[in-house]
Every structure is written in C-alpha cells, then in structure tokens.
Amino acid sequence: MFSKASRHLATATLVAGLGVIGATAALSESHVDRAVAAAIEARQAHMTLYAHNLGLLGGMARGNIDYDATVASAAAANLAALASMDQSRYWPAGSDSFEIEGTRALPAIWDNIDDVMAKSMALTEASAKMETAAGEGLEALQAAIGAVGGACGGCHEDYREPDE
Amino acid sequence: MFSKASRHLATATLVAGLGVIGATAALSESHVDRAVAAAIEARQAHMTLYAHNLGLLGGMARGNIDYDATVASAAAANLAALASMDQSRYWPAGSDSFEIEGTRALPAIWDNIDDVMAKSMALTEASAKMETAAGEGLEALQAAIGAVGGACGGCHEDYREPDE
C-alpha cells in the first residue's frame, strides 16, 4: 500500500532528483506540444550518446586515438545498451521535420515503420557484434565498425533531412 | 587485416552515419576544449534520458498518467540500462561549473569520487529494483520509485549547483 503522504514524499524526492526537463532553445521557441518536445529532446539525446561512444570507437579504428581494450569495451557496451533500449516513446505522431522546427526526422519514418524497425534491428545486431569485438584487439574493432556505421547511415540516408 | 582502403571506407560510412557532434549553444560560445564540451554534452544527454524515462514512471506513480505494465516496464528497463552504462568519459578534469559555462557539475565531484561512485551505485541498484517492480502493478511501481528519486537527489543535492 502506498499512502498519500508517502506518495507526496516520493513525488517531492523525484522532482528534487530530476530537476525540470528543459526543452531545447529551438524547440521552446515554437508552440510545440510539451510531450512532443520532450520526445524530440530525448531521441536527440539518444543520438548524442550513440555519437559519443561511436566517436571514440571510430577514432580508435582510424588510429586517431590509441587503442585501449578496456576503454573500447566500455564504449561498445554503452553502444549496445543504447541500441537495445526501447525507443517507442521517441516518435509520437506530428514530431517530424515538416511539422516541427529543430528536428531532421522526415515524415517518411511514419510511413515506413517496418523498414525503420528493420534498420534499427541492424544497428542492434551490429552493436552486439561490436561489443564482443571491441576488446579483442584493434583489428577486430576495425572489422566490426563498418557494420555499425553502415547501420547508422542506413537510417539517416532515408529518414533524416540532409544537413544544410 | 584491415586494409587502408577499407579503413577509409569504414571511416566514410561512420562519418555519414554519425553526422557531426555539435556542441550546445552555451558551450560553443566559450573556447572550451572540444573533448570537454563533448563530455558535458554527453552527460547532459544521459541525464535527459534518465528524466524522460523516470518522468513517465513518476507520472504513473502520481496518477497523472494511466498505469500500463508494458509501457512502465519498457521505461524501467531503459532506466536500468542507462544506470548500468559506463560514465567514466563524462567527467574529464576541468569540466566543472567553476571552469565551464553551461554545466552545473560542482568541482566537489572530483574531490569525492568514492562518494560519487557510491551514489551512482545506489541509482544502479534502485533502477534494477524498479526494472523488476514496474511491470508488477502500480503499487509495486510506487513502492520502488522513492529509492530511484532519492538516488538521483542524493547526487544532485551534493554535487549539482542549485537552479537559479
């Protein structure tokens, strides 16, 4: 049983813990539904974390960053964790680039959900292989990274507005 | 063996996949080391994803969002995945709020690493319990959320600058 008093306490603790979810500058300028803005902010945050971990692995693959099995493994495990997360709340109807300023997500996403899910699964699989390979030496990492980058690109080419 | 040509191909694919990691507006205005800016952007993205998932669970706990076992479980699994990720690259020296505009991470973090790690572990444990509880009914979710919010708040109270 969860009493009213303890529920209030939990809520207060939660608010103190969370802080307030701030919309990005670009999104807050328009009168965007708050849930849509939060979803866009979350999916962009998710992409930032993909990039942060893949950027390190890519740097090692290219020889710009010294290979370190422990560091590479941690980044690859992060990537695999991210690629396994549920993303269904990231894509509410009306959150595409034709409707909203500040997102590059093309409306085609919502017309091709099966293909988007297949491409998403390709990233999950490539990331799982990278998680195994990353700690096994630079050549193993290099052999695994093409499929990860390819999976990212596979979705971006079809479903993301080109950079201006 | 990873030939020079295939390495270039992998790099090109990777760059196409990733796009460019953009620093946030606040961070790009100052002449912040690029790696530090990327680390701050990544840890803030990670916090955004905590908030996105915990916000849903908190909304259900408070009765503002209808309880749904599947949706709650997915958010709790996301939270647990996030809390299990390696965060060591998020906190480079010199990325505190005394040095950098656009972060609220107090320098005390770097003076109390053991305590920060203990608080981080508390979140990992509370999130693991939430992952089990979230699908077991609203009361189980409500019973688990206080510890999650408390773990967030435990770190924020000591190591994050108060909101202005």
Side-chain angles (χ1 to χ4, degrees):
Chain A
M1 185 60 199
F2 202 71
S3 75
K4 197 168 177 184
S6 68
R7 193 159 61 230
H8 282 170
L9 181 63
T11 303
T13 311
L14 190 63
V15 169
L18 273 180
V20 174
I21 305 175
T24 64
L27 295 171
S28 63
E29 280 165 21
S30 57
H31 298 283
V32 175
D33 176 77
R34 211 178 144 215
V36 167
I40 294 173
E41 191 187 24
R43 72 197 189 203
Q44 291 178 345
H46 202 110
M47 299 294 167
T48 294
L49 294 184
Y50 279 145
H52 191 242
N53 290 287
L54 192 50
L56 178 82
L57 296 166
M60 287 184 182
R62 287 191 299 273
N64 297 337
I65 299 170
D66 287 343
Y67 175 73
D68 179 305
T70 305
V71 175
S73 288
N78 283 352
L79 199 65
L82 289 164
S84 300
M85 281 170 59
D86 178 78
Q87 302 196 9
S88 52
R89 292 174 59 231
Y90 289 169
W91 310 99
S95 68
D96 61 78
S97 62
F98 286 22
E99 296 283 341
I100 308 276
E101 196 108 14
T103 175
R104 291 162 64 194
L106 290 169
I109 291 170
W110 287 263
D111 299 330
N112 299 279
I113 294 294
D114 287 352
D115 185 52
V116 171
M117 294 306 288
K119 285 177 160 58
S120 171
M121 187 52 65
L123 177 61
T124 304
E125 287 169 6
S127 299
K129 285 182 186 163
M130 173 59 89
E131 188 177 10
T132 306
E136 293 180 344
L138 180 57
E139 288 188 8
L141 185 159
Q142 288 169 328
I145 203 158
V148 178
C152 295
C155 217
H156 288 166
E157 280 153 27
D158 290 343
Y159 298 116
R160 187 176 68 168
E161 277 193 2
D163 217 353
E164 271 162 23
Chain B
M1 185 60 198
F2 201 73
S3 74
K4 196 168 176 182
S6 66
R7 192 159 60 229
H8 282 169
L9 182 61
T11 302
T13 310
L14 188 65
V15 170
L18 274 181
V20 174
I21 306 175
T24 63
L27 293 172
S28 62
E29 280 164 20
S30 56
H31 298 285
V32 175
D33 176 78
R34 210 176 144 216
V36 167
I40 293 173
E41 190 186 25
R43 71 198 189 203
Q44 292 179 345
H46 202 110
M47 299 294 165
T48 294
L49 295 184
Y50 278 145
H52 191 243
N53 290 288
L54 192 51
L56 177 83
L57 296 167
M60 287 184 181
R62 288 191 299 272
N64 297 336
I65 300 170
D66 287 342
Y67 175 73
D68 179 305
T70 306
V71 176
S73 288
N78 283 351
L79 199 64
L82 289 164
S84 299
M85 282 170 58
D86 178 78
Q87 301 197 10
S88 53
R89 291 174 60 233
Y90 289 170
W91 310 99
S95 68
D96 60 78
S97 62
F98 286 22
E99 296 283 341
I100 307 277
E101 196 107 15
T103 174
R104 292 162 64 195
L106 290 170
I109 291 170
W110 288 264
D111 298 331
N112 299 280
I113 293 295
D114 288 352
D115 184 52
V116 171
M117 294 306 288
K119 284 176 160 59
S120 170
M121 187 52 66
L123 177 61
T124 304
E125 287 168 7
S127 300
K129 285 182 186 163
M130 173 60 88
E131 188 176 11
T132 305
E136 293 180 344
L138 180 57
E139 288 189 9
L141 185 158
Q142 288 169 327
I145 204 159
V148 178
C152 296
C155 217
H156 289 167
E157 281 154 27
D158 289 345
Y159 299 116
R160 186 175 70 168
E161 276 194 2
D163 218 353
E164 273 163 23

